[in-house]
Amino acid sequence: MREALEKSKSGALSLKGRPYPEEFDAVQYPKGFVPPLFKTFDGTGNPRQHIAHFRASCCNASGSDALLFRQFVSSLSGIAFDWYADLPNGSVMTFTELESLFVKRFVGAQHHI
């Protein structure tokens, strides 16, 4: 237990859940910003459609990768949330890159009628 605590203090043990660059956390939301209510994506359905709905819901923050990244996690549940939370910190530099990874991961989960 003591060893794990010492590793966490030294940075050797890092928590995940922030795949975007650390400096994105310092970007302020616009004055009067109200977080939108998102349709959640649980890993089933059409990931491209989810991205389109997400971007449309974020119209007042769609110009900022930092704000898009920080809101995206709120649109996920189930295995999609787990996927996002497991991405290594600082591993994705742009929201476009995250969209690509997301679609690649979940495109096979689409239900075809």
Side-chain angles (χ1 to χ4, degrees):
M1 178 96 158
R2 181 177 292 146
E3 184 178 316
L5 183 59
E6 287 175 14
K7 282 183 182 179
S8 71
K9 285 181 183 178
S10 69
L13 182 69
S14 74
L15 300 174
K16 294 181 183 177
R18 190 191 41 73
Y20 51 85
E22 187 174 351
E23 58 269 14
F24 282 10
D25 284 334
V27 175
Q28 298 292 314
Y29 285 99
K31 186 176 180 167
F33 176 80
V34 177
L37 295 176
F38 299 110
K39 286 185 171 186
T40 57
F41 183 82
D42 64 1
T44 61
N46 186 331
R48 289 181 183 95
Q49 187 178 48
H50 178 72
I51 293 288
H53 281 279
F54 173 78
R55 281 202 174 262
S57 298
C58 292
C59 60
N60 58 350
S62 62
S64 169
D65 277 2
L67 301 183
L68 290 171
F69 265 113
R70 292 189 356 233
Q71 293 180 91
F72 190 64
V73 69
S74 299
S75 76
L76 304 175
S77 64
I79 62 168
F81 178 87
D82 293 341
W83 168 82
Y84 182 91
D86 284 341
L87 292 171
N89 288 350
S91 63
V92 186
M93 297 297 117
T94 67
F95 194 74
T96 301
E97 183 182 354
L98 180 70
E99 288 175 329
S100 178
L101 291 170
F102 178 77
V103 169
K104 284 179 188 172
R105 169 59 181 90
F106 293 105
V107 76
Q110 291 183 49
H111 293 293
H112 297 284
I113 298 174

